[in-house]
Amino acid sequence: MPIRFDNVTYAYPAEESDLVAVREVSLTIEDGSFVCICGENGSGKSTLAKLMNGLLQPTVGVVTVDGKTTATEEEKELFAIRQKVGMVFQNPDNQMVASIIEDEIAFGPENLGVPREEIGERITYALEAVGMSEHRKHTPYKLSGGQKQRIAIAAVLAMRPEVLVLDESTAMLDPRGRAEVLKVAEDLHRQGITVVLITHFMEEAARADRVVVMKDGRVVMDGAPEEIFRDREAIAKYDLELPVADALAASLVEAGLPLEDKIYGESALAEAICRSK
Ligand code: ADP
Ligand code: MG
């Protein structure tokens, strides 16, 4: 079920002149892909994410999910789109409504009118998918940030989405929490869920099949991570960084170690250093 953007512009209404946050974007998110969206603050990433599930509707152009436009007046159709394209945001504390985790997870399916027994099954599935089954009857307040985000993901999974959009969902977490959430995203991708990950962390971007870079509301780069990270000028221009292993590889080459000047990733770099002895 691809998400398609066809020449999409979005402007937030403002008193003086409208603020254009997304400009002339054409983009397809393919079924089963793992796409990372990067770009400096204010480049339009969150606006793009909200256009994907009809939280915002284009000012110009069309967004379709499964061939259906998000610019529908039909409440039912919009609901179906929001169920298919689930979103998790940055701050885990703002996303919790219930005082017991299983109630938190049940909230979405209850709103969808899912029968009782099936809600129970969905809670079991969703908590298992994020590795939080033993917390089913607990309160979410005492969890770590990473665990809270995994519960937020479980709450979305209970809606049986086809696409999971994570909008800087790792930004407020410590390294351990980030790793937990990334692992869940990768597991879900392997199980066939389409993942759209918005992040500032290039280690995360390096794990995606595709990296989309935004600047001033436009898509300025779109390609495989190796392709993006090989373009050092663009990395500087769009306020990105190299993943740590690749920044290290570049320094090693500069310092005279006979490595190929290319994009490695951690394990490939370790092997290349051992071979170069
Ligand atoms: P990013 O997620 O990449 O930081 P956003 O999509 O949040 O970018 O923002 C893009 C632009 O739209 C920015 O200039 C931002 O100030 C503006 N913007 C975002 N949200 C709103 C809003 N609710 N009302 C008005 N302007 C907004
Ligand atoms: Mg944002």
Side-chain angles (χ1 to χ4, degrees), residues 185-198:
E186 290 186 315
D187 288 347
L188 293 170
H189 172 236
R190 269 191 292 275
Q191 290 161 28
I193 291 185
T194 305
V195 176
V196 178
L197 181 74
I198 300 177

Side-chain angles (χ1 to χ4, degrees), residues 59-216:
T59 311
V60 179
V62 184
V63 177
T64 56
V65 173
D66 244 349
K68 298 219 167 90
T69 176
T70 60
T72 173
E73 305 275 301
E74 289 288 323
E75 191 94 342
K76 245 181 152 176
E77 284 176 19
L78 202 54
F79 214 60
I81 287 171
R82 299 218 174 123
Q83 176 267 315
K84 280 182 189 164
V85 184
M87 301 253 271
V88 176
F89 297 97
Q90 190 177 90
N91 188 338
D93 290 319
N94 295 347
Q95 300 176 69
M96 301 280 174
V97 291
S99 57
I100 299 291
I101 285 169
E102 70 175 349
D103 297 341
E104 181 70 35
I105 316 283
F107 190 75
E110 271 167 9
N111 275 335
L112 287 176
V114 174
R116 269 262 124 240
E117 324 72 81
E118 196 188 326
I119 291 179
E121 286 163 20
R122 288 191 184 201
I123 295 171
T124 304
Y125 152 75
L127 286 174
E128 212 162 287
V130 302
M132 292 289 287
S133 303
E134 73 275 26
H135 293 279
R136 184 170 181 144
K137 306 279 180 193
H138 297 174
T139 151
Y141 308 129
K142 290 183 188 155
L143 300 177
S144 70
Q147 289 175 320
K148 282 183 188 167
Q149 283 300 46
R150 283 150 66 197
I151 296 299
I153 293 172
V156 169
L157 289 178
M159 312 275 277
R160 296 268 183 205
E162 293 170 36
V163 184
L164 178 66
V165 182
L166 299 160
D167 186 359
E168 301 211 32
S169 307
T170 61
M172 297 177 77
L173 306 180
D174 60 15
R176 182 176 169 174
R178 278 211 300 277
E180 288 171 12
V181 171
L182 188 66
K183 180 179 180 299
V184 166
E186 290 186 315
D187 288 347
L188 293 170
H189 172 236
R190 269 191 292 275
Q191 290 161 28
I193 291 185
T194 305
V195 176
V196 178
L197 181 74
I198 300 177
T199 186
H200 279 293
F201 297 102
M202 296 302 128
E203 314 326 299
E204 296 177 5
R207 311 273 274 268
D209 325 316
R210 175 180 173 200
V211 178
V212 171
V213 182
M214 295 191 72
K215 166 98 174 171
D216 296 334

Side-chain angles (χ1 to χ4, degrees), residues 12-13 19-21 39-48 167-168:
Y12 289 99
L19 200 153
V20 182
E40 60 195 20
N41 282 333
S43 58
K45 304 179 299 295
S46 292
T47 306
L48 196 76
D167 186 359
E168 301 211 32

Side-chain angles (χ1 to χ4, degrees), residues 29-52:
I29 307 287
E30 300 291 350
D31 272 348
S33 59
F34 179 4
V35 181
C36 198
I37 300 177
C38 306
E40 60 195 20
N41 282 333
S43 58
K45 304 179 299 295
S46 292
T47 306
L48 196 76
K50 287 175 187 152
L51 286 162
M52 288 182 188

